[in-house]
Amino acid sequence: VVRGSGQAVVFVLCKPGATCGATGGVLPAVSRALDVNTGVSSVTMQVECPLGSADVVLHAAVSGTESAALATSTTIACRCDAGQTRSTIAERSTWVCKQCEEGSYILDPNNPAHSCETCPAGAVCNNSTVIGKINGSVWTPDATYPGRVELVSCPEGYSILNPAVYEEQACVPCAPGRFCRGKGTPSIKCPDKRHSSDKAKGASDCFEAAFVSLT
């Protein structure tokens, strides 16, 4: 909102540090008339930020003047909300915030290295959160792939399925005949002549069993 005298105000978004005027802006300049009674002019604009910058400058000046006294500028921080990612508009060398698709997530919407990620099989994702389907499962930021999570631990009675395949990561019940101590350890086969039900947590859950072969 700008208050002043004259007929119209020209609004333009500019790169920080650049000469800001009616031309040379990030987007085409927008002109809005001043209200003859209040002397106020306002505009609603789509904010596009220059590539490589986290700020953009909004410049407003009374139309037809070069006087600094009839112009004003303010810096706008380019920040995305939780669940949004940066989307590039190549023809203007700018970027805007875009909502991630339902069922995906982004860890840090204001980190250019992060983007919307597909939710792993063993989790439920809601734009900005990743929650394991199994209580007690632990998901942490992946040190190898910035912006992704990895499953590092499962509760007792479960093991990690395909830890090397991002999309398939999940805590799965320990299979019969094996026991799972949880954390990030693989399942262990019960000793000879012993068996277990599914979700066995330790060697003590393996019981003596007689195996009969049918011919």
Side-chain angles (χ1 to χ4, degrees):
V1 177
V2 173
R3 184 182 298 274
S5 59
Q7 294 185 346
V9 174
V10 176
F11 298 88
V12 61
L13 291 171
C14 302
K15 295 180 180 179
T19 300
C20 211
T23 60
V26 174
L27 297 174
V30 177
S31 179
R32 291 290 184 268
L34 282 161
D35 187 286
V36 294
N37 296 315
T38 64
V40 172
S41 180
S42 64
V43 67
T44 299
M45 301 176 67
Q46 163 79 20
V47 174
E48 293 184 17
C49 298
L51 291 178
S53 176
D55 301 292
V56 68
V57 175
L58 175 60
H59 179 76
V62 174
S63 179
T65 183
E66 298 296 330
S67 172
L70 298 177
T72 184
S73 296
T74 185
T75 299
I76 300 173
C78 301
R79 302 283 295 176
C80 293
D81 295 330
Q84 294 182 331
T85 187
R86 294 186 177 192
S87 179
T88 298
I89 302 176
E91 60 269 26
R92 292 196 289 271
S93 297
T94 61
W95 64 269
V96 295
C97 296
K98 180 181 178 181
Q99 191 69 30
C100 293
E101 293 183 4
E102 185 176 353
S104 62
Y105 72 94
I106 182 169
L107 293 181
D108 183 353
N110 293 297
N111 186 333
H114 292 195
S115 58
C116 302
E117 298 287 351
T118 302
C119 195
V124 176
C125 303
N126 183 19
N127 293 146
S128 60
T129 59
V130 179
I131 301 173
K133 293 179 179 178
I134 302 299
N135 289 335
S137 59
V138 179
W139 300 78
T140 64
D142 192 324
T144 305
Y145 296 95
R148 282 186 176 180
V149 296
E150 64 174 336
L151 177 59
V152 297
S153 179
C154 293
E156 290 182 326
Y158 290 83
S159 63
I160 298 177
L161 173 68
N162 291 344
V165 182
Y166 166 74
E167 292 84 357
E168 297 180 3
Q169 292 181 97
C171 288
V172 294
C174 209
R178 309 183 72 85
F179 61 92
C180 299
R181 291 173 172 156
K183 306 296 183 184
T185 60
S187 65
I188 301 172
K189 187 178 182 298
C190 285
D192 289 344
K193 298 182 180 181
R194 299 184 74 86
H195 193 61
S196 68
S197 302
D198 65 339
K199 298 183 183 179
K201 300 178 180 179
S204 60
D205 293 325
C206 297
F207 50 84
E208 291 186 10
F211 294 92
V212 178
S213 60
L214 298 177
T215 57

